[in-house]
PDB file of all heavy atoms in Angstrom:
ATOM      1  N   PHE D  53       2.742 -50.120   5.655  1.00 98.00           N
ATOM      2  CA  PHE D  53       2.019 -48.882   5.949  1.00 98.00           C
ATOM      3  C   PHE D  53       0.749 -49.225   6.738  1.00 98.00           C
ATOM      4  O   PHE D  53       0.360 -48.488   7.645  1.00 98.00           O
ATOM      5  CB  PHE D  53       1.640 -48.151   4.656  1.00 98.00           C
ATOM      6  CG  PHE D  53       2.742 -47.292   4.087  1.00 98.00           C
ATOM      7  CD1 PHE D  53       3.918 -47.857   3.609  1.00 98.00           C
ATOM      8  CD2 PHE D  53       2.617 -45.900   4.037  1.00 98.00           C
ATOM      9  CE1 PHE D  53       4.948 -47.064   3.079  1.00 98.00           C
ATOM     10  CE2 PHE D  53       3.634 -45.105   3.509  1.00 98.00           C
ATOM     11  CZ  PHE D  53       4.791 -45.687   3.034  1.00 98.00           C
ATOM     12  N   PHE D  54       0.126 -50.341   6.411  1.00 98.00           N
ATOM     13  CA  PHE D  54      -1.096 -50.732   7.117  1.00 98.00           C
ATOM     14  C   PHE D  54      -0.781 -51.163   8.548  1.00 98.00           C
ATOM     15  O   PHE D  54      -1.580 -50.955   9.463  1.00 98.00           O
ATOM     16  CB  PHE D  54      -1.832 -51.813   6.327  1.00 98.00           C
ATOM     17  CG  PHE D  54      -2.364 -51.306   5.013  1.00 98.00           C
ATOM     18  CD1 PHE D  54      -1.667 -51.482   3.830  1.00 98.00           C
ATOM     19  CD2 PHE D  54      -3.562 -50.602   4.968  1.00 98.00           C
ATOM     20  CE1 PHE D  54      -2.136 -50.977   2.623  1.00 98.00           C
ATOM     21  CE2 PHE D  54      -4.054 -50.099   3.762  1.00 98.00           C
ATOM     22  CZ  PHE D  54      -3.337 -50.292   2.590  1.00 98.00           C
ATOM     23  N   ARG D  55       0.383 -51.762   8.757  1.00 98.00           N
ATOM     24  CA  ARG D  55       0.784 -52.105  10.122  1.00 98.00           C
ATOM     25  C   ARG D  55       1.089 -50.839  10.927  1.00 98.00           C
ATOM     26  O   ARG D  55       0.788 -50.767  12.102  1.00 98.00           O
ATOM     27  CB  ARG D  55       1.993 -53.041  10.087  1.00 98.00           C
ATOM     28  CG  ARG D  55       1.633 -54.361   9.412  1.00 98.00           C
ATOM     29  CD  ARG D  55       2.702 -55.421   9.542  1.00 98.00           C
ATOM     30  NE  ARG D  55       2.188 -56.656   8.933  1.00 98.00           N
ATOM     31  CZ  ARG D  55       2.796 -57.817   8.937  1.00 98.00           C
ATOM     32  NH1 ARG D  55       3.976 -57.933   9.537  1.00 98.00           N
ATOM     33  NH2 ARG D  55       2.257 -58.886   8.377  1.00 98.00           N
ATOM     34  N   TYR D  56       1.679 -49.849  10.266  1.00 98.00           N
ATOM     35  CA  TYR D  56       1.923 -48.575  10.955  1.00 98.00           C
ATOM     36  C   TYR D  56       0.589 -47.921  11.329  1.00 98.00           C
ATOM     37  O   TYR D  56       0.449 -47.336  12.401  1.00 98.00           O
ATOM     38  CB  TYR D  56       2.713 -47.620  10.054  1.00 98.00           C
ATOM     39  CG  TYR D  56       4.124 -48.036   9.707  1.00 98.00           C
ATOM     40  CD1 TYR D  56       4.700 -47.652   8.494  1.00 98.00           C
ATOM     41  CD2 TYR D  56       4.911 -48.774  10.581  1.00 98.00           C
ATOM     42  CE1 TYR D  56       6.008 -47.997   8.160  1.00 98.00           C
ATOM     43  CE2 TYR D  56       6.218 -49.131  10.251  1.00 98.00           C
ATOM     44  CZ  TYR D  56       6.763 -48.740   9.037  1.00 98.00           C
ATOM     45  OH  TYR D  56       8.054 -49.077   8.710  1.00 98.00           O
ATOM     46  N   MET D  57      -0.389 -48.023  10.432  1.00 98.00           N
ATOM     47  CA  MET D  57      -1.695 -47.418  10.700  1.00 98.00           C
ATOM     48  C   MET D  57      -2.351 -48.085  11.909  1.00 98.00           C
ATOM     49  O   MET D  57      -2.950 -47.427  12.759  1.00 98.00           O
ATOM     50  CB  MET D  57      -2.578 -47.545   9.445  1.00 98.00           C
ATOM     51  CG  MET D  57      -2.158 -46.598   8.311  1.00 98.00           C
ATOM     52  SD  MET D  57      -2.807 -47.068   6.661  1.00 98.00           S
ATOM     53  CE  MET D  57      -4.567 -46.903   6.975  1.00 98.00           C
ATOM     54  N   GLU D  58      -2.239 -49.395  11.979  1.00 98.00           N
ATOM     55  CA  GLU D  58      -2.803 -50.111  13.122  1.00 98.00           C
ATOM     56  C   GLU D  58      -2.070 -49.741  14.416  1.00 98.00           C
ATOM     57  O   GLU D  58      -2.663 -49.657  15.487  1.00 98.00           O
ATOM     58  CB  GLU D  58      -2.685 -51.621  12.885  1.00 98.00           C
ATOM     59  CG  GLU D  58      -3.167 -52.452  14.055  1.00 98.00           C
ATOM     60  CD  GLU D  58      -3.301 -53.913  13.678  1.00 98.00           C
ATOM     61  OE1 GLU D  58      -4.358 -54.267  13.139  1.00 98.00           O
ATOM     62  OE2 GLU D  58      -2.356 -54.689  13.900  1.00 98.00           O
ATOM     63  N   ARG D  59      -0.767 -49.521  14.288  1.00 98.00           N
ATOM     64  CA  ARG D  59       0.052 -49.183  15.451  1.00 98.00           C
ATOM     65  C   ARG D  59      -0.452 -47.910  16.134  1.00 98.00           C
ATOM     66  O   ARG D  59      -0.555 -47.841  17.361  1.00 98.00           O
ATOM     67  CB  ARG D  59       1.500 -49.004  14.970  1.00 98.00           C
ATOM     68  CG  ARG D  59       2.549 -48.914  16.033  1.00 98.00           C
ATOM     69  CD  ARG D  59       3.934 -48.755  15.397  1.00 98.00           C
ATOM     70  NE  ARG D  59       4.614 -50.008  15.196  1.00 98.00           N
ATOM     71  CZ  ARG D  59       5.556 -50.492  16.017  1.00 98.00           C
ATOM     72  NH1 ARG D  59       5.945 -49.791  17.081  1.00 98.00           N
ATOM     73  NH2 ARG D  59       6.133 -51.651  15.785  1.00 98.00           N
ATOM     74  N   VAL D  60      -0.792 -46.905  15.328  1.00 98.00           N
ATOM     75  CA  VAL D  60      -1.257 -45.658  15.938  1.00 98.00           C
ATOM     76  C   VAL D  60      -2.684 -45.809  16.472  1.00 98.00           C
ATOM     77  O   VAL D  60      -3.031 -45.219  17.489  1.00 98.00           O
ATOM     78  CB  VAL D  60      -1.133 -44.455  14.965  1.00 98.00           C
ATOM     79  CG1 VAL D  60      -2.206 -44.463  13.900  1.00 98.00           C
ATOM     80  CG2 VAL D  60      -1.165 -43.135  15.748  1.00 98.00           C
ATOM     81  N   GLU D  61      -3.491 -46.628  15.816  1.00 98.00           N
ATOM     82  CA  GLU D  61      -4.854 -46.866  16.308  1.00 98.00           C
ATOM     83  C   GLU D  61      -4.797 -47.472  17.705  1.00 98.00           C
ATOM     84  O   GLU D  61      -5.512 -47.041  18.627  1.00 98.00           O
ATOM     85  CB  GLU D  61      -5.593 -47.815  15.347  1.00 98.00           C
ATOM     86  CG  GLU D  61      -6.973 -48.228  15.822  1.00 98.00           C
ATOM     87  CD  GLU D  61      -7.490 -49.513  15.141  1.00 98.00           C
ATOM     88  OE1 GLU D  61      -6.691 -50.268  14.545  1.00 98.00           O
ATOM     89  OE2 GLU D  61      -8.701 -49.765  15.235  1.00 98.00           O
ATOM     90  N   HIS D  62      -3.930 -48.472  17.879  1.00 98.00           N
ATOM     91  CA  HIS D  62      -3.854 -49.143  19.183  1.00 98.00           C
ATOM     92  C   HIS D  62      -3.235 -48.234  20.244  1.00 98.00           C
ATOM     93  O   HIS D  62      -3.645 -48.246  21.396  1.00 98.00           O
ATOM     94  CB  HIS D  62      -3.079 -50.449  19.042  1.00 98.00           C
ATOM     95  CG  HIS D  62      -3.793 -51.464  18.186  1.00 98.00           C
ATOM     96  ND1 HIS D  62      -3.319 -52.730  17.951  1.00 98.00           N
ATOM     97  CD2 HIS D  62      -4.977 -51.386  17.513  1.00 98.00           C
ATOM     98  CE1 HIS D  62      -4.171 -53.386  17.171  1.00 98.00           C
ATOM     99  NE2 HIS D  62      -5.166 -52.592  16.887  1.00 98.00           N
ATOM    100  N   ALA D  63      -2.271 -47.405  19.825  1.00 98.00           N
ATOM    101  CA  ALA D  63      -1.673 -46.439  20.763  1.00 98.00           C
ATOM    102  C   ALA D  63      -2.710 -45.385  21.158  1.00 98.00           C
ATOM    103  O   ALA D  63      -2.718 -44.904  22.295  1.00 98.00           O
ATOM    104  CB  ALA D  63      -0.441 -45.788  20.138  1.00 98.00           C
ATOM    105  N   PHE D  64      -3.585 -45.026  20.228  1.00 98.00           N
ATOM    106  CA  PHE D  64      -4.669 -44.074  20.510  1.00 98.00           C
ATOM    107  C   PHE D  64      -5.582 -44.639  21.601  1.00 98.00           C
ATOM    108  O   PHE D  64      -5.906 -43.955  22.574  1.00 98.00           O
ATOM    109  CB  PHE D  64      -5.455 -43.814  19.218  1.00 98.00           C
ATOM    110  CG  PHE D  64      -6.685 -42.959  19.359  1.00 98.00           C
ATOM    111  CD1 PHE D  64      -6.599 -41.663  19.842  1.00 98.00           C
ATOM    112  CD2 PHE D  64      -7.943 -43.455  18.985  1.00 98.00           C
ATOM    113  CE1 PHE D  64      -7.744 -40.868  19.957  1.00 98.00           C
ATOM    114  CE2 PHE D  64      -9.086 -42.666  19.086  1.00 98.00           C
ATOM    115  CZ  PHE D  64      -8.981 -41.372  19.584  1.00 98.00           C
ATOM    116  N   PHE D  65      -5.971 -45.920  21.460  1.00 98.00           N
ATOM    117  CA  PHE D  65      -6.798 -46.544  22.488  1.00 98.00           C
ATOM    118  C   PHE D  65      -6.073 -46.535  23.840  1.00 98.00           C
ATOM    119  O   PHE D  65      -6.679 -46.224  24.868  1.00 98.00           O
ATOM    120  CB  PHE D  65      -7.174 -47.980  22.078  1.00 98.00           C
ATOM    121  CG  PHE D  65      -8.547 -48.071  21.452  1.00 98.00           C
ATOM    122  CD1 PHE D  65      -8.846 -47.355  20.299  1.00 98.00           C
ATOM    123  CD2 PHE D  65      -9.554 -48.870  22.011  1.00 98.00           C
ATOM    124  CE1 PHE D  65     -10.121 -47.436  19.719  1.00 98.00           C
ATOM    125  CE2 PHE D  65     -10.826 -48.942  21.437  1.00 98.00           C
ATOM    126  CZ  PHE D  65     -11.102 -48.221  20.287  1.00 98.00           C
ATOM    127  N   ARG D  66      -4.790 -46.879  23.841  1.00 98.00           N
ATOM    128  CA  ARG D  66      -4.047 -46.853  25.110  1.00 98.00           C
ATOM    129  C   ARG D  66      -4.015 -45.452  25.707  1.00 98.00           C
ATOM    130  O   ARG D  66      -4.111 -45.285  26.922  1.00 98.00           O
ATOM    131  CB  ARG D  66      -2.607 -47.342  24.884  1.00 98.00           C
ATOM    132  CG  ARG D  66      -2.472 -48.859  24.782  1.00 98.00           C
ATOM    133  CD  ARG D  66      -1.019 -49.321  24.905  1.00 98.00           C
ATOM    134  NE  ARG D  66      -0.181 -48.865  23.810  1.00 98.00           N
ATOM    135  CZ  ARG D  66      -0.065 -49.495  22.630  1.00 98.00           C
ATOM    136  NH1 ARG D  66      -0.730 -50.612  22.400  1.00 98.00           N
ATOM    137  NH2 ARG D  66       0.723 -49.009  21.699  1.00 98.00           N
ATOM    138  N   SER D  67      -3.905 -44.437  24.840  1.00 96.00           N
ATOM    139  CA  SER D  67      -3.830 -43.055  25.335  1.00 96.00           C
ATOM    140  C   SER D  67      -5.114 -42.652  26.036  1.00 96.00           C
ATOM    141  O   SER D  67      -5.138 -41.703  26.823  1.00 96.00           O
ATOM    142  CB  SER D  67      -3.530 -42.096  24.171  1.00 96.00           C
ATOM    143  OG  SER D  67      -4.708 -41.881  23.375  1.00 96.00           O
ATOM    144  N   LEU D  68      -6.204 -43.371  25.732  1.00 96.00           N
ATOM    145  CA  LEU D  68      -7.506 -43.092  26.356  1.00 96.00           C
ATOM    146  C   LEU D  68      -7.776 -44.047  27.513  1.00 96.00           C
ATOM    147  O   LEU D  68      -8.912 -44.149  28.004  1.00 96.00           O
ATOM    148  CB  LEU D  68      -8.618 -43.210  25.307  1.00 96.00           C
ATOM    149  CG  LEU D  68      -8.492 -42.271  24.100  1.00 96.00           C
ATOM    150  CD1 LEU D  68      -9.553 -42.601  23.051  1.00 96.00           C
ATOM    151  CD2 LEU D  68      -8.613 -40.810  24.544  1.00 96.00           C
ATOM    152  N   GLY D  69      -6.745 -44.792  27.924  1.00 96.00           N
ATOM    153  CA  GLY D  69      -6.913 -45.704  29.064  1.00 96.00           C
ATOM    154  C   GLY D  69      -7.614 -47.003  28.698  1.00 96.00           C
ATOM    155  O   GLY D  69      -8.134 -47.706  29.559  1.00 96.00           O
ATOM    156  N   MET D  70      -7.627 -47.330  27.399  1.00 97.00           N
ATOM    157  CA  MET D  70      -8.298 -48.554  26.956  1.00 97.00           C
ATOM    158  C   MET D  70      -7.292 -49.427  26.212  1.00 97.00           C
ATOM    159  O   MET D  70      -6.159 -49.036  25.982  1.00 97.00           O
ATOM    160  CB  MET D  70      -9.455 -48.193  26.016  1.00 97.00           C
ATOM    161  CG  MET D  70     -10.427 -47.170  26.599  1.00 97.00           C
ATOM    162  SD  MET D  70     -11.936 -46.957  25.618  1.00 97.00           S
ATOM    163  CE  MET D  70     -11.288 -46.214  24.107  1.00 97.00           C
ATOM    164  N   SER D  71      -7.752 -50.616  25.817  1.00 98.00           N
ATOM    165  CA  SER D  71      -6.964 -51.481  24.948  1.00 98.00           C
ATOM    166  C   SER D  71      -7.867 -51.969  23.833  1.00 98.00           C
ATOM    167  O   SER D  71      -9.052 -52.212  24.042  1.00 98.00           O
ATOM    168  CB  SER D  71      -6.411 -52.687  25.717  1.00 98.00           C
ATOM    169  OG  SER D  71      -5.868 -53.633  24.800  1.00 98.00           O
ATOM    170  N   ILE D  72      -7.291 -52.096  22.646  1.00 98.00           N
ATOM    171  CA  ILE D  72      -8.078 -52.580  21.509  1.00 98.00           C
ATOM    172  C   ILE D  72      -8.552 -54.012  21.781  1.00 98.00           C
ATOM    173  O   ILE D  72      -9.552 -54.463  21.205  1.00 98.00           O
ATOM    174  CB  ILE D  72      -7.262 -52.485  20.192  1.00 98.00           C
ATOM    175  CG1 ILE D  72      -8.170 -52.406  18.977  1.00 98.00           C
ATOM    176  CG2 ILE D  72      -6.294 -53.631  20.060  1.00 98.00           C
ATOM    177  CD1 ILE D  72      -8.851 -51.092  18.776  1.00 98.00           C
ATOM    178  N   ILE D  73      -7.836 -54.716  22.642  1.00 97.00           N
ATOM    179  CA  ILE D  73      -8.309 -56.022  23.120  1.00 97.00           C
ATOM    180  C   ILE D  73      -9.022 -55.766  24.436  1.00 97.00           C
ATOM    181  O   ILE D  73      -8.396 -55.558  25.477  1.00 97.00           O
ATOM    182  CB  ILE D  73      -7.140 -57.003  23.337  1.00 97.00           C
ATOM    183  CG1 ILE D  73      -6.363 -57.238  22.037  1.00 97.00           C
ATOM    184  CG2 ILE D  73      -7.664 -58.346  23.880  1.00 97.00           C
ATOM    185  CD1 ILE D  73      -7.149 -57.927  20.932  1.00 97.00           C
ATOM    186  N   ASP D  74     -10.325 -55.765  24.392  1.00 96.00           N
ATOM    187  CA  ASP D  74     -11.139 -55.467  25.571  1.00 96.00           C
ATOM    188  C   ASP D  74     -10.780 -56.454  26.691  1.00 96.00           C
ATOM    189  O   ASP D  74     -10.798 -57.665  26.473  1.00 96.00           O
ATOM    190  CB  ASP D  74     -12.621 -55.621  25.184  1.00 96.00           C
ATOM    191  CG  ASP D  74     -13.459 -54.450  25.669  1.00 96.00           C
ATOM    192  OD1 ASP D  74     -12.912 -53.513  26.272  1.00 96.00           O
ATOM    193  OD2 ASP D  74     -14.683 -54.491  25.431  1.00 96.00           O
ATOM    194  N   PRO D  75     -10.443 -55.950  27.865  1.00 95.00           N
ATOM    195  CA  PRO D  75     -10.028 -56.881  28.935  1.00 95.00           C
ATOM    196  C   PRO D  75     -11.187 -57.761  29.414  1.00 95.00           C
ATOM    197  O   PRO D  75     -12.354 -57.376  29.320  1.00 95.00           O
ATOM    198  CB  PRO D  75      -9.533 -55.953  30.043  1.00 95.00           C
ATOM    199  CG  PRO D  75     -10.088 -54.607  29.738  1.00 95.00           C
ATOM    200  CD  PRO D  75     -10.370 -54.551  28.276  1.00 95.00           C
ATOM    201  N   PRO D  76     -10.848 -58.971  29.906  1.00 93.00           N
ATOM    202  CA  PRO D  76     -11.845 -59.954  30.326  1.00 93.00           C
ATOM    203  C   PRO D  76     -12.838 -59.416  31.363  1.00 93.00           C
ATOM    204  O   PRO D  76     -13.969 -59.881  31.439  1.00 93.00           O
ATOM    205  CB  PRO D  76     -10.990 -61.082  30.940  1.00 93.00           C
ATOM    206  CG  PRO D  76      -9.640 -60.928  30.331  1.00 93.00           C
ATOM    207  CD  PRO D  76      -9.465 -59.473  30.055  1.00 93.00           C
ATOM    208  N   GLU D  77     -12.411 -58.399  32.148  1.00 94.00           N
ATOM    209  CA  GLU D  77     -13.295 -57.873  33.194  1.00 94.00           C
ATOM    210  C   GLU D  77     -14.600 -57.318  32.640  1.00 94.00           C
ATOM    211  O   GLU D  77     -15.569 -57.151  33.375  1.00 94.00           O
ATOM    212  CB  GLU D  77     -12.556 -56.793  33.998  1.00 94.00           C
ATOM    213  CG  GLU D  77     -12.354 -55.485  33.226  1.00 94.00           C
ATOM    214  CD  GLU D  77     -11.095 -54.725  33.623  1.00 94.00           C
ATOM    215  OE1 GLU D  77     -10.036 -55.378  33.752  1.00 94.00           O
ATOM    216  OE2 GLU D  77     -11.162 -53.494  33.782  1.00 94.00           O
ATOM    217  N   HIS D  78     -14.646 -57.030  31.308  1.00 94.00           N
ATOM    218  CA  HIS D  78     -15.890 -56.517  30.739  1.00 94.00           C
ATOM    219  C   HIS D  78     -16.887 -57.628  30.400  1.00 94.00           C
ATOM    220  O   HIS D  78     -18.007 -57.346  29.952  1.00 94.00           O
ATOM    221  CB  HIS D  78     -15.589 -55.663  29.498  1.00 94.00           C
ATOM    222  CG  HIS D  78     -14.970 -54.352  29.839  1.00 94.00           C
ATOM    223  ND1 HIS D  78     -15.620 -53.375  30.562  1.00 94.00           N
ATOM    224  CD2 HIS D  78     -13.730 -53.858  29.603  1.00 94.00           C
ATOM    225  CE1 HIS D  78     -14.817 -52.332  30.735  1.00 94.00           C
ATOM    226  NE2 HIS D  78     -13.662 -52.604  30.172  1.00 94.00           N
ATOM    227  N   GLY D  79     -16.457 -58.868  30.612  1.00 92.00           N
ATOM    228  CA  GLY D  79     -17.360 -60.016  30.462  1.00 92.00           C
ATOM    229  C   GLY D  79     -18.154 -60.024  29.171  1.00 92.00           C
ATOM    230  O   GLY D  79     -17.584 -59.914  28.083  1.00 92.00           O
TER     231      GLY D  79
END
Side-chain angles (χ1 to χ4, degrees):
Chain D
F53 277 65
F54 293 96
R55 297 190 176 185
Y56 295 150
M57 287 162 63
E58 177 168 275
R59 191 179 267 261
V60 75
E61 175 200 17
H62 294 182
F64 174 59
F65 262 60
R66 282 194 295 275
S67 76
L68 301 173
M70 307 190 293
S71 169
I72 204 74
I73 300 295
D74 227 1
E77 72 210 45
H78 288 295

